[in-house]
Amino acid sequence: MLTVQNETDYYASSEGSRVVAPHLGARVVVFAMTRADDGMDLFREQTFEAETVEGLPAQSELEAAIRKLGKSLEELRKAPVTEPFDGPAILSGRAAAVFFHEVLGHRLEGQRQRGDEEGQTFTKDIGKDILPTFLSVADDPTRTKFGASWLSGTYEYDDEGQKARRVDLIDNGVLKTFLMSRLPIASFGASNGHGRAQTGRMPTGRQGNLIVTSTKSEPESALRRQLIDEAKQQGKPYGLFFEDISSGFAVTTRSSPQAFQVIPLVVWRVYVDGRPDELVRGVSIVGTPLAAMKRILATGDKSEVFNGECGAESGTIPVSAVAPAMLLSEIETQKQAQGTARPPILTIPGADTQAPAHKEAQ
Amino acid sequence: MNPIRSLAVLAAAALLAACLSAPALGAAPQTRADAEKDPILKAMLVELDRSMTQLQLPGFAKPFFIQYRIVEVDDFTTKAEFGASEGSSHAHQRVARITVRVGDYKTDSSGGRGDGALELAALDDDPIALRSALWAGTDQAYKSALAAYAQKQAALKQVQTPPQADDFSHEQPIIALAAPLRLKLDEADWVRRVALASGLYRTDASVNAGQQDVEYSTAEFHGRVATEWLVTSEGVIVRKSAAEYQQSVGVGTQAADGMRLDRSYASTGNALKDLDSPQAFAQHALGLIASLTDLRKAPLVEEEYHGPVLLSSDAGADTLRYLLAGSVTAARPALGTQARTNGPFASSYHARVLPDFLDVQDDPGLKTFDGKGLVGAYDVDDEGVPAQAVKLVTAGRLSNYLIGREPVRDFPQSNGHGRAGLTGAPRPAIGVLEITAKNGLPDEELNRKLLEMATDRGLKSVYSVTTMGGDLTPRLLSSVEAAGKDMYVANSFGDVPQTVLAPALLLDDVTVRRANEKNEKLPFYPPPE
């Protein structure tokens, strides 16, 4: 699906704000799904984002990516179902980016620190360590690119007419502030330019470009060696490599707040005995994924960008998340309880070798 | 004009006569080979054959009936308010609706909502993409049908009274291939025209003195062409196409006491040439705008009135549509009951439902009236059954129902009224509903009679209704004293387009009540200069 947007926001307030701000965006979303023989639904999704259509990948590049996606689904369909696991794991940069957006980012939205209905996970944690000290997290909507990649969470002014600014949320593991709209909370009275909303909705504190940085980065080969060492140490036959995880980003539960959970899509077993890596399906992360974030041991030295659409109470807005790969000492997974429906009875047209039963009359 | 919001008319009942309709269709002898020249039909037939011969879960029933219906809708809308365009939208899609039935004609898997499956289908004619959409929907519909069939078997064991009719009718399959229509519009011109119409309240010298009281002024143009391809495992192959166009305008204000006063007008037809010319449309719009000023000054209707009311043919068409359209259709009643059908006329077969000088028929074959195209007309319904003219009310008595392929007691066959919107399952609906009066009177005569009735009853004034709005709740119309001779053509734009042809009605004893709605505050400021 191709979406191209050329929006101009006009904002005037009785306080004297006068803002005209453009919002450009082009996105191609490729979504494919299949059903394994045991009825498990499997899907993969990939988005390509740019400021304008000219920035989108060339046809050949898109085709290659779609082929890769299709191949990955084919492999997933045949992959064995996971076993419950509790041990070390690596999140790829892309997976880590989604993970931080969903698990951490949403919990740092200002309005979630007030009201009885909110979990208020971090409300009283200002000035405290909530991540390992080598990690810092900022949200920077003023940044338009990371490397060669366009960041879709970019904006100049938020939807309350406030100038966008970089906000250092977590500095060397220590929580500094929240993503603030003009709705004050007990500890912060002013906006920091993160009041965002879909047209027609009431803005709330939202993410723009969430960027995770690390001072303890290592080449990915070293990270992999460490994973194997950690698994050995814990007496596990393998560690897990989360290549891709999904979220509320571009999937079905687009506007539902419960999208803060993460769904692993592509997970590999990395064996300690040198066997080749093995793809598994049906992995689900158990317990609070937040606990896993405190068990990050090291990160990779290359960051990956995830661009997507994020849905929450104030609507669907474009966001980005950027993170390096991460090694976690422990993550607990179980078998996913999903999908027992039968696969299609007949093969998809075009793939069937049988001639149509009817003799065509021409 | 009076702001009459509801009518309640009481009635008596009696009995008599029935009349069955005669099918009328001069179908050209078309063949499957002709159909297969159409790449869409060809793809549909290939997949239909594959599904009928191969689709079966081991140990479960095979489908006994499969229907594929693909509808391509090309739809353009442009809106304006306060004299300027608010933008246009263009939708162009193909939607496939797949119906699978298991069981047999007597008892099958059908019932309730959600029969079948929906898929978006390829807009270009790529056969594999078209078939893939049908394949996905067929798989889903077949599995749902198996589940529904098992549920129905279980439900049948719970009820003492057996179903009053078969689940699905046998019909003669037809092949009917009409040429597809195309939506051809000067979009920019329509954008300009609706903007102009929505601004008349402030640009036209004849009405703009009242512009400070106008709270909204909108105009809209809507054009839509729907082309349908239909195939069934019984051999039906149909291609048909229909167009609808509508330009409309709406204006509103509030009286000094806060009462909302809303007027709207639409010109609707199945060809652009049937719509009002820009001049005629502007005249209608100006009439509405001027009427706001009159309505604002008009006295409030008394709290309750009992007496004669004259409904213009426009108001009559609205009233009769509300009264009849949903009542003259027959749909399967709840399992276990002895009811024939549902709705207000469920038990009225052969009973008196209208005065004896009124006749009602539905004739989708009536394409034009007075040179004006009728949007409710069609040749073949959405179940592949040729449309029939059905005499519904003869001399005031209900003599038939409109029905599709789901029979009810005493009505085992479709009369070609199974109609469906873009996504829904077919259900019985009117096409061109015609209400005619024997000895209809000219308007002057009706007015004279109305005034006579007033004099006879010592009333100082009586009501003459030009147009209706808001919610209507007409009951039985037995107090119709007389009816007009001239027919009003009410074309309704919609997913299932319908037409009502009706005369003016002089009602003997009507209760008119003041609407008594909440009167909201007037705007605090005048509109911008």
Side-chain angles (χ1 to χ4, degrees):
Chain A
M1 184 171 71
L2 169 71
T3 318
V4 183
Q5 193 182 29
N6 185 350
E7 175 181 316
T8 307
D9 293 346
Y10 298 86
Y11 180 95
S13 79
S14 57
E15 295 166 328
S17 294
R18 304 286 183 266
V19 177
V20 180
H23 274 284
L24 298 176
R27 164 185 296 121
V28 174
V29 180
V30 179
F31 185 88
M33 73 168 290
T34 187
R35 188 173 284 165
D37 289 339
D38 59 9
M40 185 183 283
D41 284 324
L42 300 162
F43 71 89
R44 292 295 312 273
E45 165 269 324
Q46 192 165 356
T47 60
F48 304 88
E49 306 240 357
E51 188 172 18
T52 60
V53 268
E54 289 74 30
L56 289 173
Q59 183 70 15
S60 57
E61 206 180 318
L62 280 175
E63 279 178 24
I66 291 166
R67 284 212 177 81
K68 209 171 136 197
L69 212 63
K71 188 160 170 284
S72 142
L73 267 184
E74 268 309 309
E75 285 165 4
L76 270 175
R77 230 173 68 73
K78 291 177 212 140
V81 177
T82 184
E83 293 299 325
F85 176 81
D86 182 14
I90 289 175
L91 300 180
S92 72
R94 176 185 156 98
V98 175
F99 200 85
F100 268 74
H101 169 91
E102 295 295 347
V103 174
L104 183 77
H106 277 293
R107 288 181 170 85
L108 295 181
E109 293 165 352
Q111 71 282 359
R112 298 202 192 284
Q113 319 309 322
R114 58 186 275 172
D116 292 342
E117 283 157 27
E118 292 293 346
Q120 303 196 355
T121 323
F122 296 120
T123 306
K124 303 212 164 110
D125 285 346
I126 294 290
K128 294 184 188 161
D129 280 343
I130 63 166
L131 285 181
T133 54
F134 57 88
L135 288 176
S136 295
V137 181
D139 193 281
D140 190 358
T142 65
R143 199 157 167 179
T144 56
K145 284 200 157 188
F146 190 92
S149 301
W150 161 254
L151 296 178
S152 62
T154 296
Y155 55 93
E156 274 183 83
Y157 290 87
D158 75 5
D159 298 311
E160 296 178 309
Q162 303 297 304
K163 193 149 177 51
R165 73 188 89 146
R166 177 192 160 100
V167 173
D168 291 304
L169 294 161
I170 295 169
D171 196 15
N172 296 322
V174 178
L175 179 64
K176 294 293 183 191
T177 187
F178 298 110
L179 295 162
M180 295 298 296
S181 66
R182 291 190 63 180
L183 180 74
I185 57 173
S187 42
F188 297 95
S191 166
N192 53 26
H194 280 79
R196 303 187 69 198
Q198 186 179 343
T199 305
R201 302 280 191 103
M202 181 76 189
T204 60
R206 298 287 293 270
Q207 299 166 68
N209 298 322
L210 191 77
I211 299 166
V212 184
T213 50
S214 165
T215 53
K216 192 177 173 185
S217 51
E218 297 167 21
E220 283 179 15
S221 55
L223 218 53
R224 186 184 157 90
R225 270 200 306 280
Q226 266 183 274
L227 174 70
I228 292 168
D229 290 346
E230 188 67 31
K232 276 184 190 157
Q233 216 176 341
Q234 293 181 24
K236 310 284 178 192
Y238 55 83
L240 293 180
F241 173 58
F242 290 80
E243 181 185 318
D244 190 13
I245 66 181
S246 180
S247 61
F249 266 124
V251 199
T252 46
T253 54
R254 192 174 287 239
S255 58
S256 149
Q258 68 195 339
F260 304 160
Q261 65 178 17
V262 286
I263 308 158
L265 294 183
V266 182
V267 183
W268 300 82
R269 286 174 180 156
V270 178
Y271 286 99
V272 298
D273 60 8
R275 265 183 283 170
D277 295 353
E278 184 185 30
L279 185 67
V280 289
R281 64 185 162 93
V283 180
S284 133
I285 295 174
V286 192
T288 163
L290 218 48
M293 301 186 109
K294 291 196 173 166
R295 304 194 194 106
I296 298 167
L297 301 175
T299 70
D301 57 358
K302 286 198 299 284
S303 282
E304 285 186 293
V305 175
F306 189 89
N307 284 320
E309 288 198 306
C310 168
E313 293 86 338
S314 72
T316 300
I317 54 172
V319 294
S320 297
V322 182
M326 297 185 184
L327 172 66
L328 286 68
S329 64
E330 191 189 346
I331 198 159
E332 192 184 345
T333 68
Q334 65 182 9
K335 278 184 198 168
Q336 214 170 71
Q338 74 160 57
T340 51
R342 279 179 201 272
I345 300 160
L346 301 182
T347 52
I348 191 168
D352 56 318
T353 47
Q354 278 170 292
H358 173 74
K359 295 274 178 281
E360 285 162 36
Q362 261 182 287
Chain B
M1 259 133 313
N2 292 286
I4 291 173
R5 294 300 176 93
S6 67
L7 282 186
V9 183
L10 290 173
L15 36 118
L16 203 91
C19 179
L20 283 169
S21 59
L25 190 88
Q30 286 163 313
T31 63
R32 177 165 172 146
D34 294 328
E36 284 177 343
K37 289 174 195 155
D38 180 328
I40 301 162
L41 285 172
K42 183 168 182 183
M44 291 169 84
L45 289 166
V46 168
E47 195 56 24
L48 182 69
D49 289 344
R50 186 172 82 119
S51 297
M52 277 308 281
T53 50
Q54 297 178 27
L55 185 65
Q56 182 173 25
L57 267 178
F60 293 89
K62 274 173 82 77
F64 78 94
F65 174 83
I66 297 180
Q67 173 176 302
Y68 292 159
R69 180 162 63 93
I70 293 181
V71 182
E72 176 174 333
V73 167
D74 201 354
D75 189 291
F76 173 77
T77 309
T78 182
K79 294 183 184 182
E81 186 167 16
F82 298 127
S85 171
E86 287 183 332
S88 309
S89 61
H90 202 152
H92 190 191
Q93 278 188 320
R94 278 185 190 161
V95 175
R97 191 166 208 291
I98 297 99
T99 308
V100 175
R101 291 175 183 252
V102 298
D104 55 34
Y105 287 84
K106 184 167 174 48
T107 306
D108 70 18
S109 49
S110 68
R113 294 158 60 91
D115 274 347
L118 283 174
E119 293 283 331
L120 288 175
L123 260 186
D124 63 31
D125 299 341
D126 182 312
I128 296 293
L130 284 168
R131 286 178 55 203
S132 295
L134 296 171
W135 160 79
T138 309
D139 193 75
Q140 189 195 331
Y142 172 54
K143 289 166 181 168
S144 303
L146 286 175
Y149 187 61
Q151 279 163 11
K152 185 180 274 185
Q153 293 297 335
L156 282 169
K157 294 185 178 74
Q158 304 290 323
V159 295
Q160 186 63 32
T161 305
Q164 304 287 298
D166 284 0
D167 275 353
F168 198 45
S169 71
H170 289 271
E171 305 290 345
Q172 197 59 38
I174 60 157
I175 298 178
L177 306 170
L181 301 173
R182 294 267 171 264
L183 186 70
K184 275 189 229 142
L185 294 169
D186 184 344
E187 295 183 3
D189 190 48
W190 280 109
V191 170
R192 190 186 57 75
R193 280 169 70 173
V194 298
L196 217 62
S198 76
L200 286 172
Y201 76 101
R202 64 180 167 96
T203 56
D204 193 281
S206 70
V207 294
N208 66 8
Q211 65 173 292
Q212 72 283 353
D213 294 321
V214 172
E215 292 180 17
Y216 69 87
S217 172
T218 60
E220 185 174 329
F221 170 80
H222 197 164
R224 178 183 153 108
V225 168
T227 300
E228 176 172 327
W229 294 265
L230 178 79
V231 299
T232 74
S233 54
E234 295 167 329
V236 166
I237 308 175
V238 170
R239 182 179 59 217
K240 59 179 194 161
S241 201
E244 296 175 88
Y245 302 93
Q246 182 172 65
Q247 54 180 340
S248 59
V249 58
V251 287
T253 184
Q254 282 174 275
D257 62 5
M259 180 185 277
R260 288 224 63 88
L261 301 167
D262 303 289
R263 295 300 311 275
S264 60
Y265 169 78
S267 161
T268 309
N270 52 10
L272 284 168
K273 68 170 174 51
D274 283 346
L275 300 190
D276 289 349
S277 67
Q279 296 73 21
F281 188 65
Q283 279 315 308
H284 278 288
L286 290 170
L288 296 187
I289 298 163
S291 80
L292 291 184
T293 308
D294 296 340
L295 281 169
R296 275 170 52 79
K297 288 190 220 137
L300 201 57
V301 70
E302 63 259 57
E303 278 200 87
E304 191 163 301
Y305 163 89
H306 298 276
V309 166
L310 176 59
L311 301 181
S312 73
S313 57
D314 172 350
D318 256 0
T319 307
L320 289 165
R321 186 163 109 89
Y322 276 91
L323 176 75
L324 296 172
S327 310
V328 296
T329 54
R332 187 190 294 166
L335 193 66
T337 70
Q338 289 185 334
R340 174 178 283 114
T341 172
N342 306 303
F345 288 178
S347 56
S348 306
Y349 185 40
H350 293 326
R352 183 158 178 255
V353 294
L354 288 176
D356 55 12
F357 57 88
L358 288 181
D359 289 331
V360 180
Q361 76 158 349
D362 193 276
D363 183 8
L366 189 65
K367 303 272 170 75
T368 59
F369 187 87
D370 253 358
K372 194 171 169 28
L374 306 182
V375 297
Y378 59 91
D379 292 323
V380 180
D381 76 3
D382 299 312
E383 294 178 308
V385 179
Q388 298 173 19
V390 181
K391 289 197 162 59
L392 292 162
V393 178
T394 310
R397 289 171 203 282
L398 184 70
S399 48
N400 210 332
Y401 291 96
L402 298 178
I403 193 164
R405 290 195 65 182
E406 294 195 339
V408 299
R409 176 156 48 90
D410 301 329
F411 295 89
Q413 299 288 132
S414 167
N415 52 32
H417 281 80
R419 305 191 65 200
L422 180 59
T423 58
R427 54 188 68 235
I430 65 166
V432 177
L433 190 73
E434 263 183 290
I435 301 100
T436 46
K438 291 182 192 81
N439 310 318
L441 303 173
D443 285 351
E444 316 80 69
E445 191 73 3
L446 287 172
N447 271 319
R448 202 181 51 73
K449 276 192 95 134
L450 175 67
L451 293 172
E452 261 175 32
M453 288 163 91
T455 318
D456 288 353
R457 295 184 202 181
L459 295 165
K460 277 193 204 134
S461 64
V462 286
Y463 286 102
S464 165
V465 180
T466 308
T467 183
M468 310 284 274
D471 296 326
L472 294 176
T473 50
R475 304 282 161 73
L476 287 179
L477 275 178
S478 74
S479 79
V480 182
E481 179 73 19
K485 147 171 101 55
D486 298 329
M487 302 285 265
Y488 183 82
V489 179
N491 273 328
S492 301
F493 190 103
D495 206 15
V496 180
Q498 301 175 345
T499 301
V500 175
L501 304 172
L505 299 174
L506 177 59
L507 307 175
D508 171 35
D509 187 19
V510 175
T511 302
V512 177
R513 291 195 191 94
R514 192 180 290 174
N516 280 330
E517 283 171 10
K518 186 166 66 182
N519 289 336
E520 283 169 359
K521 274 272 185 212
L522 297 167
F524 283 107
Y525 304 113
E529 289 292 314

